[in-house]
C-alpha cells in the first residue's frame, strides 16, 4: 500500500490523514463479518427456494464492491460536497418513491422495489440518509438565523416523506425516519416541553399503527403472548441462541437456518448465535455500539451545528436499525422486518448503508477549515 | 454586518452547539443502555436457556399407509402375512424406439431375464405387455436410469409371509392378483381387502413353532410320510397351533406339491382308533349305562359276521371301565357300546361334533365319513375308532369338550383373548371330572405313559389305527396318534399329534403305536409350551393332587392311580 506523508496534499492523502481510522476499521470488520454470516446462513435458504446454494452469497459479493465504492466515494467528500450529494440523493429517491406505485415491483406483498441496471433498489432506503442531512441543514439554518423558515420547511418535508413511506406501507422505515427527525429537532434546540409533546405524539402514533395496520397488531400480539399466535421464527431464534451457548456449535453446525425462511436477512443474528456463540454475538453488538459512540464522541468536539445534527441523525439511523433488528431477534420487542446493517444479506440495504456511513465518515473527518457557518 | 451582530450570532451559535452536545450526550447514554440491554439478553439466552430438543425428520404417520390388503397377525401381534408395495414393469411397445437395445439393457439388468423373450414382447403390436412383476426398489431405480421411453411402472402389492412354512396351512396364500386362494387368506378375502385393520388370529406362533418342530422331528425319526397336530384352548375353542406336514412356502405356492398343500389337520379325515374310547367311556358314564365300577368280559374276542374284534395285548379276563381305557381294550369298548346302543352312540357323537363338518374358519374343511346304514358292526367298531373317519381338529375339539367340564365349543382360528365362548353342554360336570381321572390314569399307569410331562399332570389317550384302502385293513401301515390335555385337575389346553405310517426304531422296540411314537411328541410340546403360556408346574405327588386324581380300579386288586 502506498504510504501517505502528512505533507502530501493529494485528495487521497488528505483523506487518509483526516478520516477516522477506528470507525473505518470497525466498518470494514462489520462488512467482513457480513460476508461470513451470509456464507453461513444463506445456502439452506437458497436451496429451499430452488436457486443454487451460493445464490445469495454471489449476489452479496457482487454488491460488495459497489457498496465499498459508495462508502469510499462518499467519505472523500468535503462536508459541503457531502451535503449537496445527500440532497441530490434525497431528491432522486423522493421522485422514485412517488413513482413507485407505477413502476415498482411487488415483493412479499409490498411495493417497495424498483429495478435499475440489474440491481433491485429500495428508494426508501436511500431517502433516509438524504432526509437526515437535509433536515439537519434546515434545522441548523433556522437555529442560526431565525428569519430563515428552515424549521417549517423541515416539518413540511417530514410529513411528505412519512406519508410516502406509509403509503407503501413501510412502518419500520417510517419509524426510523420519524425517530431520527424528532431527535434532530430536539437537538436543534426544541424547548423541552415541546420535546415531551413530540414524544407523546410518537407514542400515540405507534398505538395508532397498532390499530390501523393489521400486520402490526399481529406482531405486537404475538410478542406479548407468544403462545397465542404464530411466532414460529422468534421461537426458533430463541432456541438457536440456547443451542449456541458460549462458543456456538461451530460453522455449519446450526439448524435454525434450515427451518426459518428469513435466516439470511432478518434473523441472521440467530444463525450467528447458534453457530458462533455468545462471544461472536457480543462482538457484533459491541461493534455497533462502538461505531455509534465513536461518531458521537467526535461530535463532542464539533463546532458546526449542521455537521453535529447531520452526523447524529445518520448515526442514529444506523444504530436504530441495528438495535431494532437485534432487539426483535432476541425477543425484546415485536418483530419488525429490518435487516442487521452490513451483516444481513440485502443488496439495496447494503448500498444505502454504505452511503449513510460514507457520509458519516465524511462529516467526521478532521476539517478545521469548516468552522461555524459555511 | 456589524461587529455587535456578529458577536451575538457567535454567542447564539455557541449556545446552540452546547445545547446540541448536551442532548447528544443524553442520546448516547440512552442508546448505550439499549445496546447493553441487548447484550444482557444475549447472555441470558445463550447461557441460561436450554436449547431445543434435537430435531428429527418428520416421519410420515403410519396411519396414512394404506395397503390394499390388511395384515394377518397371530394372537400376540406377530405378523403372519403383510403387504409390500412394489413396482411392476410394463411396456408400451409402440413407444419403445429401439427394442433391440432396450431388450439387451433390460436382460442385463433383471435377473433370470431372457433377452429374446423381452425382445419378442417389445416387438409385439400390443399397447401393453408385462416385462417383470414386483421389482425391488433398486431394480426400479436401475430401470429408470436406463431412460428408455415406453417403459412404465404399475404400483402393485406383493403379499409376504415372514414366517414362511410355519403357518402356511392356516394363513394360506394369495395369487398374483392378490386374491386369497387358500387358508385364512381365502376365507377372509373380502374382509382383508376392505382394509378394516389387521386380522388377529388365535394362533400363537411360538406354540405353532414348537408343535411343528416336535412333529417334524418325530416324522424324520420314525420315517413317517406325514404328520399333523393341534393345540387348542379348552375353554374358548381357540386354536393356538395347527400343523400339517409336509408343508409349503406360501411365498412360493406354485412350487409346492399337492401333497404338501393338503391340510391333514382339517381337510384330512382319518379313522382315529383308540382315542375314540374316550367318547365311548364318556357316553357310557353320562347315560348311566355304566359306572366306574362296571366290569366287562374281555376274556375272548367278539365274533360278529365275518369279523373278529380282538385286543392288541389281550388280558383274557373281565375288565373294569378304568382298565379298558388303561389297557386300551377293544373288546371292552365294544361291549360298552353294545350296552349303549346305536341311537345313543349317534346322538352323543353328533353332539360332540364328530358327525358333521366343523365350523372352523378355513376353506379346507373335511366332512366326516360316517357309515350308512349304522349297523351293529359299526356300533361296535366305532367304539374303538374304526368305521368313522374324522379330522384331527374335530377330535381335538371333542376331547376339549370332554375334559373342560362337558361343554362343547366350536373350534376357532380367531382371537378371543382366551375368554370362554358360548357353548352347549353335552356332558355333566361329574362325567367330565371322571373322564379327567381316567385320562390321567392312562398316562400315569397305562399305554400313554410316554406322554407324561413332569409337573403338568398330563392326561390323554393313545390311538393307533391300521390304515385301510379299498381292499380292507391289509397291513398298509399304521396311523398313530395321541390326544392329551393338561393340567388334568383343571385342563387348559388339548394337544393332539398324529403320524402317518411311522416305523418303529430300536428305542421303541420296533413299535410304532401311538403310545410309542406320538405320546412323546405331546410330552415335549407340553413341556416346551406350558412355560410360555403361563401354566405353572405343580407337584404331581402332592396329597391334594393325588386325591383329585384318585380312581378305584375294581378287579382282583384295588389301587391308587398315581402309584
Amino acid at each position: 500500500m502506498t504510504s501517505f506523508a502528512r505533507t502530501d496534499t493529494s485528495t487521497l492523502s488528505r483523506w487518509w490523514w483526516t478520516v477516522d481510522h477506528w470507525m473505518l476499521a470497525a466498518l470494514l470488520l462489520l462488512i467482513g463479518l457480513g460476508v461470513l454470516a451470509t456464507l453461513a446462513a444463506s445456502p439452506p435458504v437458497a436451496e429451499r427456494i430452488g436457486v443454487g446454494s451460493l445464490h445469495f452469497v454471489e449476489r452479496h459479493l457482487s454488491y460488495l464492491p459497489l457498496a465499498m465504492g459508495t462508502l469510499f466515494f462518499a467519505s472523500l467528500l468535503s462536508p459541503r460536497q457531502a451535503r449537496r450529494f445527500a440532497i441530490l440523493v434525497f431528491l432522486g429517491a423522493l421522485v422514485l418513491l412517488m413513482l413507485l406505485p407505477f413502476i415498482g415491483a411487488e415483493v412479499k406483498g409490498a411495493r417497495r422495489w424498483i429495478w435499475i441496471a440489474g440491481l433491485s433498489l429500495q428508494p426508501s432506503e436511500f431517502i433516509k440518509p438524504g432526509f437526515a442531512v437535509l433536515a439537519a441543514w434546515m434545522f441548523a439554518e433556522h437555529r442560526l438565523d431565525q428569519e430563515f423558515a428552515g424549521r417549517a420547511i423541515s416539518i413540511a418535508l417530514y410529513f411528505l416523506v412519512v406519508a410516502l413511506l406509509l403509503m407503501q406501507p413501510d412502518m419500520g422505515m417510517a419509524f426510523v425516519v420519524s425517530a431520527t427527525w424528532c431527535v434532530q429537532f430536539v437537538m436543534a434546540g426544541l424547548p423541552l416541553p415541546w420535546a415531551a409533546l413530540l414524544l407523546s405524539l410518537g407514542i400515540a402514533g405507534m398505538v395508532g399503527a397498532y390499530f390501523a395496520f393489521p400486520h402490526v397488531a399481529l406482531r405486537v400480539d404475538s410478542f406479548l403472548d407468544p403462545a397465542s399466535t404464530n411466532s414460529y421464527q422468534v421461537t426458533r431464534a430463541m432456541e438457536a441462541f440456547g443451542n449456541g451457548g458460549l462458543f456456538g456449535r461451530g460453522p455449519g453446525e446450526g439448524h435454525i437456518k434450515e427451518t426459518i425462511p428469513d435466516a439470511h436477512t432478518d434473523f441472521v443474528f440467530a444463525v450467528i448465535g447458534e453457530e458462533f456463540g455468545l462471544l461472536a454475538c457480543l462482538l457484533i453488538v459491541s461493534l455497533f455500539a462502538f461505531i455509534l459512540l465513536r461518531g458521537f464522541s467526535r461530535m463532542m468536539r464539533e463546532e458546526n451545528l449542521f455537521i453535529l445534527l447531520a452526523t447524529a441523525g445518520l448515526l442514529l439511523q444506523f444504530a436504530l436499525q441495528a438495535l431494532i433488528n437485534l432487539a426483535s431477534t432476541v425477543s425484546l420487542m415485536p418483530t419488525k422486518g429490518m435487516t442487521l446493517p452490513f451483516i444481513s444479506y440485502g443488496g439495496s440495504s447494503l448500498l444505502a448503508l454504505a452511503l449513510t456511513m460514507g457520509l458519516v465518515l465524511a462529516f467526521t473527518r478532521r476539517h478545521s477549515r469548516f468552522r461555524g457557518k459555511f | 454586518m456589524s461587529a455587535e451582530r456578529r458577536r451575538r450570532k457567535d454567542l447564539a451559535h455557541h449556545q446552540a452547539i452546547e445545547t446540541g452536545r448536551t442532548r447528544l450526550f443524553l442520546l448516547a447514554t440512552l442508546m448505550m443502555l439499549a445496546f447493553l440491554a441487548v447484550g444482557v439478553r444475549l447472555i441470558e439466552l445463550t447461557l441460561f436457556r436450554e436449547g431445543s430438543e434435537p430435531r428429527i425428520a418428520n416421519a410420515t404417520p403410519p396411519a396414512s399407509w394404506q395397503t390394499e390388503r390388511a395384515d394377518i397377525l397371530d394372537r400376540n401381534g406377530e405378523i403372519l402375512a403383510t403387504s409390500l408395495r412394489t413396482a411392476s414393469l410394463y411396456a408400451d411397445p409402440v413407444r419403445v424406439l429401439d427394442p433391440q437395445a432396450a431388450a439387451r439393457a433390460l436382460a442385463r439388468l433383471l435377473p433370470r431375464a431372457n433377452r429374446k423373450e423381452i425382445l419378442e414382447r417389445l416387438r409385439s403390436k400390443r399397447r401393453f405387455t408385462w416385462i417383470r412383476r414386483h421389482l425391488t426398489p433398486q431394480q426400479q431405480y436401475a430401470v429408470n436410469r436406463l431412460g428408455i421411453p415406453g417403459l412404465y411402472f404399475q404400483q402393485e402389492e406383493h403379499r409376504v409371509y415372514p414366517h414362511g412354512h410355519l403357518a402356511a396351512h392356516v394363513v394360506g396364500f394369495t395369487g398374483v392378483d392378490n386374491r386369497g386362494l387358500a387358508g385364512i387368506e381365502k376365507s377372509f378375502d373380502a374382509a382383508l381387502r376392505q382394509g378394516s385393520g389387521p386380522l388377529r388370529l388365535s394362533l400363537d406362533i411360538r406354540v405353532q413353532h414348537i408343535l411343528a418342530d416336535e412333529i417334524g422331528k418325530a416324522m424324520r425319526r420314525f420315517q413317517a410320510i406325514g404328520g399333523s397336530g393341534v393345540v387348542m384352548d379348552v375353554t374358548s375353542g381357540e386354536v393356538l397351533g395347527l400343523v400339517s406336514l409336509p408343508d409349503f412356502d406360501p411365498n412360493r405356492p406354485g412350487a409346492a406339491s399337492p401333497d404338501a398343500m393338503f391340510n391333514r389337520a382339517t381337510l384330512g379325515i382319518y379313522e382315529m382308533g383308540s382315542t375314540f374310547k374316550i367318547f365311548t367311556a364318556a357316553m357310557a358314564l353320562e347315560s348311566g349305562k355304566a359306572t366306574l365300577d362296571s366290569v366287562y368280559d374281555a376274556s375272548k374276542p367278539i365274533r360278529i359276521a365275518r369279523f373278529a374284534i380282538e385286543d392288541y395285548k389281550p388280558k383274557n379276563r373281565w375288565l373294569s371301565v378304568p382298565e379298558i381305557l388303561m389297557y386300551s381294550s377293544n373288546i371292552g369298548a365294544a361291549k360298552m357300546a353294545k350296552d349303549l346302543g346305536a341311537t345313543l352312540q349317534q346322538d352323543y357323537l353328533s353332539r360332540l361334533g364328530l358327525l358333521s363338518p366343523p365350523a372352523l374358519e378355513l376353506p379346507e374343511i373335511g366332512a366326516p365319513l360316517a357309515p350308512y346304514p349304522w349297523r351293529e358292526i359299526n356300533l361296535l367298531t366305532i367304539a374303538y375308532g374304526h368305521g368313522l373317519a374324522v379330522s384331527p381338529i374335530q377330535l381335538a375339539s371333542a376331547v376339549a369338550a370332554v375334559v373342560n367340564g362337558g361343554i362343547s365349543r366350536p373350534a376357532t382360528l380367531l382371537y378371543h383373548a382366551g375368554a370362554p365362548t358360548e357353548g352347549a353342554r353335552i356332558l355333566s360336570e361329574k362325567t367330565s371330572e371322571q373322564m379327567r381321572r381316567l385320562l390321567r390314569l392312562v398316562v400315569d399307569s397305562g399305554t400313554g405313559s410316554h406322554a407324561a410331562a413332569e409337573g403338568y399332570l398330563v392326561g390323554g389317550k393313545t390311538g393307533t389305527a391300521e390304515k385301510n384302502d379299498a381292499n380292507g385293513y391289509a397291513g398298509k401301515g399304521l396311523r398313530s396318534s395321541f390326544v392329551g390335555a393338561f393340567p388334568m385337575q383343571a385342563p387348559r389346553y388339548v394337544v393332539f399329534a398324529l403320524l402317518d405310517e411311522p416305523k418303529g426304531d430300536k428305542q421303541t422296540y420296533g413299535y410304532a403305536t401311538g403310545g410309542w411314537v406320538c405320546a412323546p411328541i405331546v410330552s415335549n410340546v407340553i413341556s416346551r409350551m406350558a412355560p410360555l403360556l403361563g401354566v405353572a408346574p405343580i407337584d404331581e405327588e402332592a396329597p391334594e393332587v393325588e386325591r383329585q386324581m384318585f380312581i378305584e380300579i375294581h378287579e382282583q386288586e384295588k389301587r391308587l392311580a398315581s402309584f
Side-chain angles (χ1 to χ4, degrees), chain B residues 138-311:
Chain B
Q138 217 164 18
Q139 289 168 340
Q140 187 189 7
Y141 175 75
V143 170
N144 269 331
R145 269 193 54 160
L146 292 177
I148 300 173
L151 295 184
Y152 305 96
F153 293 103
Q154 169 78 43
Q155 285 296 323
E156 288 200 290
E157 276 188 8
H158 187 48
R159 202 66 166 159
V160 175
Y161 304 93
H163 286 284
H165 295 251
L166 194 46
H169 284 291
V170 176
V171 176
F173 54 86
T174 60
V176 74
D177 57 357
N178 250 346
R179 296 294 170 105
L181 293 185
I184 291 289
E185 292 274 36
K186 185 179 181 185
S187 46
F188 287 90
D189 191 49
L192 288 168
R193 278 192 287 113
Q194 261 164 19
S196 50
L199 180 67
R200 204 160 168 195
L201 301 186
S202 62
L203 221 59
D204 185 326
I205 200 68
R206 304 168 302 175
V207 173
Q208 177 78 4
H209 168 73
I210 292 168
L211 190 61
D213 184 45
E214 291 295 340
I215 291 175
K217 276 198 282 199
M219 258 178 77
R220 285 189 293 279
R221 178 177 160 194
F222 299 113
Q223 298 158 46
I225 60 167
S228 67
V230 176
V231 173
M232 183 186 279
D233 186 322
V234 301
T235 48
S236 64
E238 288 176 278
V239 176
L240 275 75
L242 189 82
V243 169
S244 170
L245 292 173
D247 56 13
F248 61 97
D249 184 354
N251 293 303
R252 279 191 319 250
S257 70
D259 183 45
M261 303 271 258
F262 183 79
N263 189 341
R264 290 159 198 266
T266 60
L267 187 54
I269 53 167
Y270 311 104
E271 292 178 316
M272 288 297 178
S274 306
T275 44
F276 259 62
K277 288 170 191 161
I278 298 172
F279 311 128
T280 305
M283 57 184 85
L285 292 172
E286 176 72 14
S287 63
K289 301 280 185 192
T291 67
L292 287 180
D293 304 333
S294 308
V295 288
Y296 295 89
D297 178 11
S299 53
K300 53 185 186 298
I302 302 173
R303 304 215 168 264
I304 178 164
R306 56 193 175 89
F307 301 106
I309 297 172
E310 295 169 331
D311 279 354

Side-chain angles (χ1 to χ4, degrees), chain A residues 17-55:
Chain A
W17 288 116
T18 51
V19 81
D20 184 352
H21 293 162
W22 282 102
M23 188 183 285
L24 188 63
L27 284 172
L28 291 178
L29 185 54
L30 218 47
I31 290 170
L33 289 175
V35 175
L36 272 184
T38 305
L39 266 170
S42 73
V45 182
E47 279 162 23
R48 218 164 29 231
I49 65 172
V51 291
S53 63
L54 290 180
H55 171 79

Side-chain angles (χ1 to χ4, degrees), chain A residues 68-117:
Chain A
M68 304 280 265
T70 308
L71 183 78
F72 180 62
F73 167 76
S75 68
L76 277 177
L77 301 173
S78 71
R80 195 191 302 260
Q81 289 166 327
R83 186 170 69 200
R84 283 177 188 159
F85 178 55
I87 287 164
L88 275 178
V89 169
F90 171 79
L91 290 175
L94 189 70
V95 171
L96 286 178
L97 211 51
M98 290 197 274
L99 289 179
L100 212 49
F102 314 106
I103 59 168
E106 192 166 314
V107 175
K108 288 187 188 176
R111 210 174 261 280
R112 297 175 185 170
W113 302 84
I114 53 164
W115 289 86
I116 293 176

Side-chain angles (χ1 to χ4, degrees), chain B residues 104-123:
Chain B
R104 206 176 316 120
L106 285 172
R108 210 168 31 235
L109 213 141
L110 302 170
R112 300 187 310 279
N114 183 338
R115 188 185 62 83
K116 278 198 182 127
E117 196 193 314
I118 296 176
L119 183 59
E120 217 167 274
R121 290 180 177 214
L122 291 182
R123 279 192 169 147

Side-chain angles (χ1 to χ4, degrees), chain B residues 303-320:
Chain B
R303 304 215 168 264
I304 178 164
R306 56 193 175 89
F307 301 106
I309 297 172
E310 295 169 331
D311 279 354
Y312 188 62
K313 285 179 175 173
K315 295 282 175 199
N316 296 320
R317 57 174 169 85
W318 286 64
L319 296 174
S320 67

